[in-house]
Amino acid sequence: MITKIKNKANKLLAIFDLEKLFVNSGNVFLRRVLGLVLSFLWIMLTTNLFGAEVFGLVSLGQMFISFGAMFFGLGLDTAIVKLGSTHDHYFKGVLQSNFLKKSIILTFVASLIFGVLLYFFKDLIAIKVFNNQKFSNYLLYISIFFFMFVLHKTTASFLTVQEKFTKFGNYYFFFPNLLILICVLIAYQFKLPGYYIILGFLLSYGIFGLILLFSFFNIPLNIKKNISYKSILNLSMPMMISASFLFISNWTDTFMLGAMVSKSELGVYNVAFKLASLALIIIASVNTVLAPKIAKLFSDNNIEGIKIEVQKATKLITWVAFPLVMILILFRTKILLLFGDEFVIGSQTLVIISLGMLFNAMSGSVGQVLNMTNNQKQFRNFTLISAFINVILNFYLIKSSGIKGAAIASLLSSMIINILCIIYIKRKYGFYAFFKL
């Protein structure tokens, strides 16, 4: 029976020419799923062992980490993929320029600046913004160990350039979440305060970032081109702004809920958001494989090739995302009960966010297309528009509808940025990236 299903699946993939994309993205997808399972396990342990309030503070801590990684990562993780996918900088396993070394140096310096700033303003942020003195301890550990998290993000991106997708999946998704799970259990066993969970979160990623950094010392060098810091930043900064404001759109709800509702409600919302984000795992997995491929095709001026690859990717993403979203919607109450009785109030919120994720999936990898085809500035503009609208929507909708209002704002802003990107790609390159039957 299993063999028959497998054979039929292979035939279906062959009909639509998806075999290679499915295998490569499937390797990442499998590790991401395993990592996500572990992620939900440590979230469930945190909510059940430490309570919704502690998880709310952990969620806020993750938001600050993601915020810092977006702004002070300088977009270098995406720039590395773009540069490394061209023969001028990396060819047949040999570095042709010093772009990787200089990118890591820039990442390290920028992340230290963020850590210092956060250290001096941690009490102000905790008390004046979130009215919670406990949160200061979370920010303290973030300020000290933040650079390790950003180092991991930057070094892992180069694995996609090397087409080491299995290793990327292990180091980016599976291993860190396994270590975080262990850290949560240790914190509970020794009755440590909740902020030790955020410390474990940072170290879990940082350890594997350091391992990857040392592994890069073995990459052969044939430095024919010296790329300046200015050139790297000229490429990466628009990507950083795009990623940062995309982050703002994704996390505005969490930030504003943290200031406008109870920490327990914030914890409920973040569980619903993380569940809905299951639909994004296939998007991120496919994009990991797709991004360097688009960059290479664009360097060869092969727009038709980009169209084919993007539309194939959209089909694969939609086929996987749709049933996931339907499961979340149909069994939302039972799923939320796994995290505790107090999380059931997030059922409607889960439905709204899930629909937004489905629209995102069916729109295609529009952000990757723009970033990898020298349209990063246009993508930056679209994210600015979306982020601005999202802030306004959250402000008014949270006031009137609480966490459901934040979910509606997330849905609408996601639709806006995807529609803008779809229209731009159609006008410039003559094809639609979204799902078509």
Side-chain angles (χ1 to χ4, degrees), residues 226-391:
N226 177 47
I227 185 169
S228 66
Y229 289 110
K230 182 179 179 181
S231 297
I232 294 174
L233 290 174
N234 283 339
L235 174 65
S236 71
M237 289 302 286
M239 295 177 176
M240 178 272 288
I241 296 172
S242 299
S244 298
F245 281 94
L246 194 58
F247 161 81
I248 289 173
S249 290
N250 291 335
W251 284 85
T252 293
D253 42 12
T254 299
F255 184 86
M256 297 182 73
L257 284 168
M260 298 172 69
V261 302
S262 70
K263 298 301 176 288
S264 295
E265 288 178 285
L266 174 63
V268 171
Y269 181 85
N270 273 283
V271 165
F273 191 89
K274 287 182 180 295
L275 284 168
S277 296
L278 283 166
L280 295 180
I281 60 176
I282 183 60
I283 301 175
S285 301
V286 172
N287 284 348
T288 299
V289 178
L290 190 62
K293 186 174 292 187
I294 293 174
K296 290 176 182 177
L297 290 169
F298 184 73
S299 66
D300 295 333
N301 198 30
N302 187 355
I303 303 302
E304 182 63 23
I306 294 176
K307 171 187 173 181
I308 293 170
E309 294 299 329
V310 169
Q311 291 183 343
K312 284 195 301 183
T314 304
K315 288 179 183 177
L316 180 58
I317 290 170
T318 304
W319 286 349
V320 178
F322 184 79
L324 283 173
V325 169
M326 290 301 102
I327 290 170
L328 288 172
I329 292 175
L330 293 173
F331 301 99
R332 56 190 180 277
T333 302
K334 292 181 179 180
I335 294 171
L336 287 168
L337 276 172
L338 295 173
F339 298 87
D341 293 341
E342 59 188 321
F343 289 88
V344 176
I345 61 172
S347 60
Q348 290 183 326
T349 301
L350 177 57
V351 172
I352 297 168
I353 301 174
S354 296
L355 291 174
M357 297 298 180
L358 180 59
F359 186 87
N360 192 357
M362 296 179 71
S363 297
S365 304
V366 288
Q368 296 295 331
V369 174
L370 295 180
N371 272 333
M372 295 297 129
T373 57
N374 291 339
N375 290 289
Q376 59 269 18
K377 291 184 180 179
Q378 193 62 49
F379 187 51
R380 173 201 62 194
N381 296 338
F382 292 153
T383 56
L384 285 170
I385 294 170
S386 175
F388 178 73
I389 293 173
N390 197 26
V391 170

Side-chain angles (χ1 to χ4, degrees), residues 1 4 8 10 100 112 179 192 318 358 419 425 434:
M1 182 66 179
K4 288 182 179 179
K8 288 183 179 180
N10 288 334
L100 182 60
L112 285 182
L179 197 52
L192 299 175
T318 304
L358 180 59
I419 290 171
I425 292 170
F434 59 72

